[in-house]
Structures are given as C-alpha cells and as structure tokens.
Amino acid sequence: MSSSRRFAVDAWPSDRALVLYVPEIEAATAVRDLRDAESAARDLIAVLTGLDPAGIECEVRLSRRARIAPWR
C-alpha cells in the first residue's frame, strides 16, 4: 500500500500563463489554463522526485504575485 504525499503549489499569473512553483522541491513550470494546474504540478513533481503520480496530491494556492522568485 502506497501512501500519498501532499505538496503545496504557489500559483500566480505571468504574461499569458500561470506560473506554478513547488517550494518543497524548488521547481517551477507554467500552464495556460488554471484547469491544467494540478495535473502539471503533479507531473513536474513525479518527474523530479520519482514518486508515483497516483500518490501525489497538490494544493494549488493562487496569489497575485510570487512570494519568492523561483529563479533566484
């Protein structure tokens, strides 16, 4: 039995995209549609950590701007 892991995902608008930043793994990606945010974040986490996507839960939190810039 595999347990699920929950990741917080910060999201903010940038130009014509929505930036998604996962602080726990210090990684970011972008989507054009909010409906794709959770899936994109889950895929990013799975690729970078090797975790099974089925066991990843994402809590997408919208904000006006980044709390920290992921590229700094």
Side-chain angles (χ1 to χ4, degrees), residues 45-57:
I45 295 164
V47 166
L48 295 178
T49 64
L51 295 172
D52 180 5
I56 297 172
E57 294 180 23

Side-chain angles (χ1 to χ4, degrees), residues 11 15 54 59-60:
D15 295 324
E59 179 185 344
V60 179

